[in-house]
Amino acid sequence: MQDDLTLILDDAADSMKKAIGHLEAELTKIRAGKANPAILDGIYVDYYGAATALNQVANVAIADARTLTIQPWEKNMLQPIERAIIASNIGLNPQNDGVIIRLFLPPLTEERRKEFVKRVNGEGEQAKVAIRNIRRDAIEAIKKLQKDGLSEDTAKDAEADVQTMTDKNSVVIDKHCEAKEKEIMSI
């Protein structure tokens, strides 16, 4: 019984860490005015009929603070990469010179910054929903163990532990979102 309870708590903690990790990955994709190759993560290019990650078919580099360069390893990949970037809807227009693709990140307007902050808060809310779902599943599993013979005091303590984990992770999510918001709003 105690082993099952430990497994439930460890699984919940691990799942919550993964939710935080996912939030961190999503926040790196939201640009804050300076060039970062991470904003191209999640863009897939049609590479001979297979969807392939952009960084697997080209070299992505930072040319300067506001410019990314994408140099495909095969020249015939310029058009598919350009189409993939346009289709990804990241708000950047690729400049193709026949050899490399340049992405110029325009300075952020106040309106655009507010849009990015909304997106950050949306990602934070999704992470919180994921954390709450993990909490719900863990508490349901604990109640099921209680029906199978786990003492009520032990079950209540375990539920309190799950709630504590949830609260701590919610604070971490808020800190990540506040830091990203501060980064976006600073000029």
Side-chain angles (χ1 to χ4, degrees):
M1 218 32 90
Q2 197 64 34
D3 291 342
D4 292 340
L5 186 63
T6 305
L7 185 67
I8 291 168
L9 292 174
D10 290 346
D11 189 39
D14 190 44
S15 297
M16 288 183 186
K17 276 184 192 164
K18 286 179 182 172
I20 299 287
H22 178 72
L23 172 69
E24 290 168 349
E26 290 301 313
L27 290 181
T28 59
K29 293 178 188 175
I30 299 174
R31 66 185 181 97
K34 54 185 179 272
N36 184 351
I39 65 174
L40 299 176
D41 289 351
I43 295 179
Y44 289 87
V45 179
D46 180 29
Y47 184 66
Y48 298 110
T52 309
L54 176 63
N55 61 5
Q56 300 292 314
V57 296
N59 183 29
V60 180
I62 301 171
D64 60 49
R66 296 205 182 278
T67 309
L68 286 174
T69 59
I70 303 164
Q71 184 163 18
W73 291 314
E74 298 175 28
K75 278 202 178 198
N76 63 342
M77 291 305 297
L78 281 168
Q79 293 299 322
I81 290 172
E82 198 172 10
R83 281 194 294 271
I85 292 169
I86 292 169
S88 70
N89 203 15
I90 56 173
L92 299 175
N93 289 322
Q95 305 288 316
N96 181 349
D97 68 3
V99 179
I100 65 173
I101 296 173
R102 287 184 179 81
L103 293 176
F104 297 104
L105 283 75
L108 295 176
T109 63
E110 188 69 23
E111 182 180 313
R112 194 82 170 119
R113 288 177 195 273
K114 287 180 181 174
E115 282 179 36
F116 283 140
V117 168
K118 280 183 186 175
R119 199 164 137 206
V120 165
N121 291 331
E123 291 292 343
E125 193 53 43
Q126 283 183 349
K128 283 184 179 181
V129 167
I131 296 287
R132 288 193 295 264
N133 288 339
I134 294 164
R135 177 192 63 192
R136 183 198 62 225
D137 294 343
I139 288 177
E140 285 175 4
I142 291 168
K143 286 184 179 176
K144 187 176 178 199
L145 275 181
Q146 189 178 355
K147 286 181 184 174
D148 293 343
L150 185 69
S151 74
E152 190 175 332
D153 289 343
T154 307
K156 291 291 180 199
D157 290 345
E159 286 179 21
D161 290 345
V162 170
Q163 185 61 47
T164 303
M165 271 191 279
T166 303
D167 295 342
K168 283 181 184 175
N169 284 300
S170 290
V171 168
V172 170
I173 290 170
D174 288 339
K175 285 181 182 174
H176 281 314
C177 290
E178 286 172 19
K180 188 67 177 184
E181 184 175 339
K182 188 176 179 184
E183 181 184 337
I184 290 170
M185 294 310 281
S186 65
I187 298 173

